[in-house]
Amino acid sequence: MTWLAVLVPDHDESVERYRPLATELTAAGAVVAALTGPLVPDFEGAVDRLAAVVDGHAGPPVVLVGHAVGGMIVVRYAQRYPDRAAALVLSAPVLGPWPMLDLLSGNEIPAGPLDRAALAAIEECLSTIDFDHPLGDDLPALWVHGADDPRVPMADTRAGLDRVRGLGFEELIVPGAGHDLIDEPAVRAEVVRFAAQATGGASASAAGD
């Protein structure tokens, strides 16, 4: 069965670092697409662009795979389009009281991919997610996080997820791991297994043989 996997990297991150995951998803029967370009400050515009990517492959079941700020965008997409995704994979998603937002109270923002406008947009998006509806019990989702992630602390993400998660949520918390779990072969294998199973894809069929 053909299914669609849409990768949503972190803000302004190249999709090239996801090539190993894309290769493994393809081997499991997926058609792989990606959302490219900045995700903030126009976060609702990024959701619109993600919807256009999904609509451009209309037909097969869709799994959205979002990392960091990309995970935030995936959750917002699922709130706005609750019937268009078969499953979500959230890799170290930015949700809840993200510590980076404390920089907004200072006079200067350190140089980096997230300027003041981008951070303010993330704060607004997180508030929007918190006060919108939960994702419901019928949407499978896999949360992947390193227990020692210094960039997106696990406890803060859990607080944000608790506001939106349904009964279909699974967790893969890796002790001692940091932020870039998607680089780990064992984590990628679990992501592919979950996505294929959620869509009835090739890996799910093989696992049942």
Side-chain angles (χ1 to χ4, degrees):
M1 178 180 180
T2 300
W3 49 288
L4 174 65
V6 182
L7 307 178
V8 186
D10 197 4
H11 172 71
D12 240 5
E13 179 184 45
S14 172
V15 75
E16 286 302 309
R17 70 177 296 262
Y18 296 84
R19 186 176 295 278
L21 176 61
T23 298
E24 293 171 31
L25 288 166
T26 300
V31 173
V32 180
L35 177 66
T36 58
L39 303 178
V40 288
D42 183 14
F43 64 89
E44 296 289 17
V47 174
D48 292 339
R49 290 191 288 113
L50 178 55
V53 172
V54 173
D55 291 347
H57 297 79
V62 179
V63 177
L64 304 177
V65 182
H67 178 63
V69 177
M72 179 190 78
I73 295 298
V74 163
V75 170
R76 183 63 188 139
Y77 173 96
Q79 286 182 324
R80 285 181 49 187
Y81 303 102
D83 299 323
R84 295 195 193 177
L88 312 179
V89 176
L90 306 173
S91 168
V94 171
L95 294 167
W98 192 37
M100 280 285 290
L101 299 179
D102 293 343
L103 293 172
L104 289 170
S105 62
N107 293 325
E108 295 186 6
I109 304 295
L114 297 174
D115 58 16
R116 185 174 295 275
L119 288 172
I122 291 171
E123 184 176 57
E124 181 183 357
C125 186
L126 293 176
S127 178
T128 301
I129 288 171
D130 285 347
F131 289 98
D132 205 332
H133 61 277
L135 300 181
D137 296 337
D138 296 329
L139 179 62
L142 174 64
W143 172 33
V144 177
H145 216 114
D148 295 334
D149 188 335
R151 293 173 57 188
V152 184
M154 183 185 71
D156 295 328
T157 292
R158 185 181 295 280
L161 276 173
D162 284 346
R163 299 182 70 94
V164 298
R165 68 191 300 166
L167 295 177
F169 266 67
E170 301 179 25
E171 297 181 10
L172 174 59
I173 307 300
V174 183
H179 183 65
D180 294 318
L181 280 183
I182 211 69
D183 293 335
E184 300 294 329
V187 173
R188 289 200 306 270
E190 182 61 17
V191 168
V192 173
R193 178 208 63 79
F194 170 83
Q197 180 176 350
T199 58
S203 289
S205 298
D209 289 342

